[in-house]
Amino acid sequence: MQLEPAADLKPNPKGDTYENGLFLSSQQELEDEIESYRKDRLSRRLGFIYKISFAFHDYVWEPLVTIGRFVELTIIFLPIVITLPISWFGKKKNNTRSGSIFWYKVLRFSLETAGASFIKLGQWAASRTDIFPQELCDELGNLHSNAKKHPIRYTKRILSQSFGGLPFDEIFEEFNEEPVGVGAIAQVYLATLSKKLIENIDEFQPVKKKKRSFLGLPSLASNDSPSPNQKVAIKVIHPNVATKIKRDLKIMNFFASAIDIIPTMEWLSLPDEVQNFDTLMNLQLDLRIEGLNLNKFQENYKDDLFVNFPTPYLKFSNRSILVEEYINGLSMSKMLELKNSKQLNDDVSKQLSDKVIDSFLQMLILNNFIHSDLHAGNIFIRFVKPNELQTEIISNDSERDEISRNLKKVQKDNSQLSKELNKLHADGYHPEVCYIDAGLVTELNEKNRVNFIALFNSLAEFDGYKAGELMIERSKTPETAIDQEIFALKVERLVDKIKQRTFTLGTVSIGDLLEKMLTMVRSHHVRMEGDFVSVVVAILLLEGIGRQLDPSLDLFASSLPILRQLGFQDGGGLINDGDKLAMFKVWLTLEVRQFINLSVQDIYKLVKSDGLCPNY
């Protein structure tokens, strides 16, 4: 349609303007129609330009940049190829040559140099002891991000945009421009939100036409807001990190596909693992997901006085920023340091171990919602005072924060810190376990959960051969497993060794058992599901922390209260639900084992004290 100037149009008898078969009820409508037409023509012209621009970007620019990145990575990883022969030489220590240890260090250095994607890849690989040698996983576990902090001007700009263009100085009462942490994907600041922002947040947020869910998750509606003058942690994604990671993943996928062609390497299924890693990275690039994870964890532990997660303030957050409660406490690493130097009160240590293990078992058994990054650096300890019945906390938030500040002042002096902790214990304070950085969680699907419960039950029954068979039968690719009968016999022998010392020590290290089983899994090419392995690794980490705090820890025995809770909560449903019925069998097996264990220990004490045949 071609519209002429309004002056040339003749009004019809009704007073409306007529043009090319269209009636326009007023001059204003005509002008609106002309403006709309002009915008439509401009959009079509720009649309063509956009198509050319997108085509140039997708088919010329991106391939060139990706090739450039490929060249850069080739230079970075060239030392790995050059030094590979060194791994075949040197003295053996724990079946690993000294040359291999050196090569693992070269690999770690190269991964750190390569940037965010490869740092995360190395950290992920460190958890896959079912694929890679234990010594390599230990070395990659030392990977630290060498990411440079992004400029403060970028942080200010993106925060201002997130709050509808509000000037940065009006968003915060206080903002520490030096980040307290710089990771491969984001960096974290401490700040205090302004009272004006807290009271009028809806006015400052960008207007959205319609609230939509993402990745099947609910909209980020939330009534939570920080209190005035409350410290918050603000996580900000690095600029352009998503684009860089996308390019790196293309390169990883190319190499994974090339390695997969090599005979005997197909059992690794590296293209599938790259795809899984791709999913993990995308989850971490959307900070809203971490906020929703924290919300769910808080709901799961709302009745637990001594387990906490930072509160996410979702209406202040979006894909690129996350505003959450600042957890002011001592790192678990510091508590372990005190325990290892024998400067931590045994009662405090036992309380701490019990709370860590109980909270993890609740994640694993009751909730099937497991924090996937449970190293000591992501666990903080605060101290709270419950009433005598431990039904509520009687110390307030300001008192708790004051205690944390005082402990931090003396944390460099272990002797003084130990005295302060002993004083708190004497005054009736208990440790509160706080988990942070919940960007990644593991939820076992029905198949993997049933498989895990079946394996757990086999170990509880000390049926190693059955456990070995189950691991092969329910692996991703049973046909790739080699020497299946020998594998099952090895697992049986391993479990028998544990069984022989059970009643003498009174404990079973399920973590140690699973770790050795993963080593055998790798040598026999038994491909486990990634989520399954994530759960096993979480057990290794948490039991390792628990045993440092309490050497007598028995993970099987610790799981009994959680299993009893599951049974009492849903006793009738156990019969109809295969998952819960399998867990019920585990419960009965552990109850019997616990009874026998206690009976043997009691008899041993009676014999030792001559209680069975006392001398009169």
Side-chain angles (χ1 to χ4, degrees):
M1 172 178 83
Q2 196 168 16
L3 293 179
E4 301 294 331
D8 295 333
L9 298 176
K10 297 179 181 180
N12 68 8
K14 294 183 180 179
D16 294 332
T17 306
Y18 179 86
E19 170 64 17
N20 291 345
L22 292 177
F23 283 99
L24 303 172
S25 60
S26 67
Q27 183 69 20
Q28 181 61 48
E29 288 188 18
L30 174 63
E31 292 175 357
D32 289 344
E33 184 71 12
I34 294 172
E35 182 64 24
S36 175
Y37 173 72
R38 287 173 178 167
K39 288 181 177 178
D40 183 61
R41 288 290 299 272
L42 181 62
S43 175
R44 291 180 184 178
R45 291 172 184 170
L46 290 178
F48 178 73
I49 295 174
Y50 286 148
K51 288 180 182 179
I52 295 295
S53 175
F54 290 147
F56 175 79
H57 180 272
D58 292 342
Y59 299 107
V60 179
W61 176 253
E62 269 301 317
L64 286 175
V65 175
T66 304
I67 290 172
R69 175 61 171 162
F70 178 83
V71 173
E72 179 187 9
L73 292 174
T74 300
I75 296 172
I76 292 173
F77 289 113
L78 188 60
I80 296 176
V81 179
I82 295 174
T83 58
L84 179 60
I86 296 176
S87 64
W88 303 331
F89 301 98
K91 293 182 178 180
K92 276 192 175 184
K93 184 179 181 181
N94 297 327
N95 294 323
T96 304
R97 295 190 180 276
S98 57
S100 295
I101 300 297
F102 173 78
W103 188 79
Y104 296 157
K105 293 182 183 297
V106 173
L107 176 60
R108 177 174 64 84
F109 175 78
S110 297
L111 290 171
E112 285 181 343
T113 307
S117 304
F118 292 90
I119 291 170
K120 287 293 182 180
L121 179 65
Q123 292 171 343
W124 167 84
S127 69
R128 298 307 302 267
T129 51
D130 61 318
I131 299 177
F132 306 108
Q134 183 63 49
E135 291 76 12
L136 173 59
C137 292
D138 292 341
E139 184 63 38
L140 295 181
N142 297 322
L143 269 171
H144 300 289
S145 174
N146 66 343
K148 296 179 181 178
K149 60 181 179 181
H150 61 245
I152 186 63
R153 63 178 179 273
Y154 170 79
T155 296
K156 291 183 176 181
R157 176 165 59 84
I158 197 163
L159 287 173
S160 180
Q161 289 175 353
S162 298
F163 294 106
L166 191 69
F168 183 80
D169 293 339
E170 295 184 27
I171 301 175
F172 302 99
E173 294 289 345
E174 181 183 351
F175 188 90
N176 186 351
E177 295 190 358
E178 187 64 27
V180 294
V182 181
I185 291 178
Q187 59 194 47
V188 183
Y189 298 89
L190 291 185
T192 305
L193 298 179
S194 70
K195 185 178 180 181
K196 178 181 178 182
L197 178 70
I198 294 173
E199 293 176 350
N200 305 285
I201 179 60
D202 294 331
E203 298 179 15
F204 304 127
Q205 287 184 315
V207 177
K208 297 180 181 178
K209 292 183 179 179
K210 184 179 180 182
K211 288 185 177 180
R212 301 193 179 192
S213 64
F214 62 97
L215 298 178
L217 296 172
S219 175
L220 292 186
S222 172
N223 295 322
D224 290 327
S225 292
S227 305
N229 300 320
Q230 178 185 337
K231 288 280 187 182
V232 294
I234 300 178
K235 184 179 287 189
V236 181
I237 294 278
H238 293 312
N240 301 319
V241 69
T243 303
K244 295 174 182 176
I245 287 174
K246 184 178 179 181
R247 291 173 188 149
D248 288 345
L249 285 167
K250 288 181 182 178
I251 297 171
M252 289 180 199
N253 193 58
F254 170 79
F255 280 107
S257 300
I259 294 173
D260 198 53
I261 297 174
I262 301 174
T264 73
M265 297 299 290
E266 66 275 3
W267 79 274
L268 291 174
S269 301
L270 289 182
D272 291 341
E273 296 301 339
V274 171
Q275 184 61 44
N276 292 336
F277 179 67
D278 187 353
T279 302
L280 292 177
M281 292 301 291
N282 285 321
L283 289 174
Q284 294 183 75
L285 288 169
D286 191 337
L287 295 181
R288 297 172 296 181
I289 295 175
E290 181 174 352
L292 292 175
N293 289 343
L294 289 172
N295 261 354
K296 185 165 184 178
F297 276 123
Q298 285 200 324
E299 177 64 22
N300 290 343
Y301 290 90
K302 63 183 178 181
D303 298 325
D304 196 316
L305 299 181
F306 305 109
V307 177
N308 210 340
F309 292 82
T311 300
Y313 302 116
L314 298 180
K315 61 185 179 183
F316 296 86
S317 305
N318 57 36
R319 186 182 184 89
S320 300
I321 68 170
L322 175 64
V323 181
E324 63 182 17
E325 173 192 2
Y326 168 57
I327 297 293
N328 186 15
L330 289 177
S331 169
M332 176 61 82
S333 301
K334 188 64 183 180
M335 304 299 284
L336 294 177
E337 180 185 327
L338 283 178
K339 179 62 179 178
N340 293 332
S341 62
K342 299 182 179 180
Q343 292 178 289
L344 183 63
N345 184 291
D346 288 342
D347 290 334
V348 175
S349 181
K350 183 71 166 61
Q351 287 177 355
L352 195 52
S353 173
D354 289 345
K355 288 172 176 56
V356 167
I357 295 300
D358 288 349
S359 61
F360 171 70
L361 289 171
Q362 181 176 334
M363 290 183 200
L364 178 65
I365 298 172
L366 288 183
N367 304 328
N368 187 27
F369 195 73
I370 306 158
H371 193 305
S372 293
D373 196 13
L374 286 173
H375 59 78
N378 280 343
I379 306 175
F380 283 84
I381 310 303
R382 302 188 296 195
F383 287 85
V384 294
K385 190 172 186 178
N387 60 10
E388 290 185 5
L389 298 177
Q390 296 191 17
T391 56
E392 63 177 339
I393 300 298
I394 58 177
S395 56
N396 56 39
D397 292 344
S398 59
E399 182 180 353
R400 179 197 62 200
D401 290 340
E402 180 65 24
I403 290 172
S404 294
R405 284 193 292 270
N406 291 337
L407 291 176
K408 281 189 169 184
K409 289 178 182 177
V410 298
Q411 66 177 338
K412 293 183 178 179
D413 185 344
N414 285 354
S415 178
Q416 185 62 32
L417 179 59
S418 178
K419 290 180 182 178
E420 292 294 329
L421 292 176
N422 289 338
K423 183 179 178 182
L424 287 172
H425 176 65
D427 291 340
Y429 285 86
H430 286 239
E432 177 191 48
V433 179
C434 304
Y435 297 98
I436 65 168
D437 201 7
L440 291 177
V441 298
T442 298
E443 291 180 273
L444 292 177
N445 58 33
E446 184 177 354
K447 176 184 175 183
N448 287 341
R449 186 163 168 79
V450 169
N451 289 347
F452 178 79
I453 293 171
L455 176 62
F456 199 79
N457 189 41
S458 298
L459 296 178
E461 294 174 340
F462 296 110
D463 191 343
Y465 191 86
K466 180 181 177 183
E469 285 186 322
L470 285 172
M471 293 179 74
I472 293 174
E473 290 173 5
R474 301 179 183 183
S475 63
K476 288 180 69 173
T477 54
E479 66 279 1
T480 64
I482 58 177
D483 298 328
Q484 298 182 15
E485 181 73 15
I486 294 176
F487 175 78
L489 290 171
K490 282 183 178 180
V491 176
E492 181 181 38
R493 186 173 62 180
L494 176 62
V495 173
D496 284 344
K497 286 183 179 179
I498 298 292
K499 183 179 179 180
Q500 290 171 8
R501 69 187 192 195
T502 299
F503 296 129
T504 55
L505 296 181
T507 61
V508 176
S509 175
I510 182 68
D512 185 40
L513 178 59
L514 290 173
E515 184 176 19
K516 291 177 180 177
M517 288 175 69
L518 285 179
T519 301
M520 290 188 288
V521 158
R522 184 177 65 254
S523 62
H524 286 267
H525 295 185
V526 180
R527 290 286 291 117
M528 309 301 294
E529 290 284 352
D531 289 345
F532 189 95
V533 176
S534 295
V535 171
V536 172
V537 171
I539 292 174
L540 299 181
L541 290 172
L542 263 295
E543 194 190 33
I545 291 173
R547 280 187 174 274
Q548 287 185 66
L549 294 168
D550 178 15
S552 65
L553 171 70
D554 184 347
L555 198 61
F556 279 132
S558 298
S559 66
L560 275 173
I562 305 295
L563 289 168
R564 289 168 186 158
Q565 184 180 346
L566 176 67
F568 295 146
Q569 282 181 353
D570 195 14
L574 289 170
I575 299 174
N576 300 320
D577 189 321
D579 177 8
K580 291 180 179 176
L581 182 59
M583 192 66 81
F584 182 68
K585 294 178 181 177
V586 177
W587 176 19
L588 290 180
T589 299
L590 290 178
E591 290 285 11
V592 172
R593 188 179 78 86
Q594 181 78 345
F595 175 77
I596 294 173
N597 190 32
L598 291 174
S599 298
V600 171
Q601 289 180 5
D602 289 341
I603 293 173
Y604 174 74
K605 290 177 182 178
L606 286 172
V607 172
K608 187 175 181 180
S609 61
D610 203 22
L612 288 178
C613 302
N615 296 318
Y616 294 102

